[in-house]
Amino acid sequence: KQEVTQIPAALSVPEGENLVLNCSFTDSAIYNLQWFRQDPGKGLTSLLLIQSSQREQTSGRLNASLDKSSGRSTLYIAASQPGDSATYLCAVRPVGTYKYIFGTGTRLKVLA
Amino acid sequence: NAGVMQNPRHLVRRRGQEARLRCSPMKGHSHVYWYRQLPEEGLKFMVYLQKENIIDESGMPKERFSAEFPKEGPSILRIQQVVRGDSAAYFCASQPPTASSYEQYFGPGTRLTVT
């Protein structure tokens, strides 16, 4: 059974810091992994999608990497800003299924 | 291109009533997922539908819950005889029919409160 874990559960950093959020999954047989952000009381916004054949994806200050064999993904945020404060979720789609399995998220607070 | 739309955004029901949640996918998208987010928990998959077909409902409780995605109109998640434990945020997500990337686009959610 696929399980997705995100560490840390919460993180507070001063503005300008580079930071890394971690996502691990127990079964490497996945189609893809997707990172989202969720603002309080709002829906999810897709940040980056990494296919199983890819190693990383980049969008602006965000870079996500995928190491399928070790069951890990990291989301790197460069030069963090207060507007980056949100909950960050990762989700994997296991091979042979249509469903996505979500982690419980990392709550990020960037202090001005 | 409007995003995924859900309504209502907030819904209050008394125990025993029915709740109907609607999801209109992005234009051109024919695949819809429903997820539930309980307070302080992650999103849990409920059901995956294509137009007029339920593809995977393995995450949906066997009783009181049903979902449909008719040929015309929005996808509906129906909860009959609601109980307090149904209080949660319900999100839908859509995908295009040629799911070359399988990227999901989420709606803003419906927050259901059962009193």
Side-chain angles (χ1 to χ4, degrees), chain B residues 62-76:
Chain B
K62 294 283 187 287
E63 298 178 353
R64 301 189 298 108
F65 286 73
S66 62
E68 63 177 10
F69 189 14
K71 187 176 180 181
E72 302 290 339
S75 175
I76 306 286

Side-chain angles (χ1 to χ4, degrees), chain A residues 54-109:
Chain A
Q54 297 175 324
R55 299 282 297 185
E56 66 176 347
Q57 285 284 346
T58 298
S59 176
R61 293 182 295 110
L62 304 179
N63 176 277
S65 66
L66 174 63
D67 184 345
K68 219 172 55 160
S69 60
S70 66
R72 291 181 189 170
S73 176
T74 59
L75 179 66
Y76 175 82
I77 303 177
S80 58
Q81 303 170 356
D84 295 330
S85 299
T87 296
Y88 289 79
L89 299 162
C90 70
V92 300
R93 184 182 167 196
V95 169
T97 74
Y98 295 99
K99 66 179 71 174
Y100 284 77
I101 310 296
F102 278 80
T104 50
T106 294
R107 285 190 309 278
L108 172 66
K109 188 167 187 179

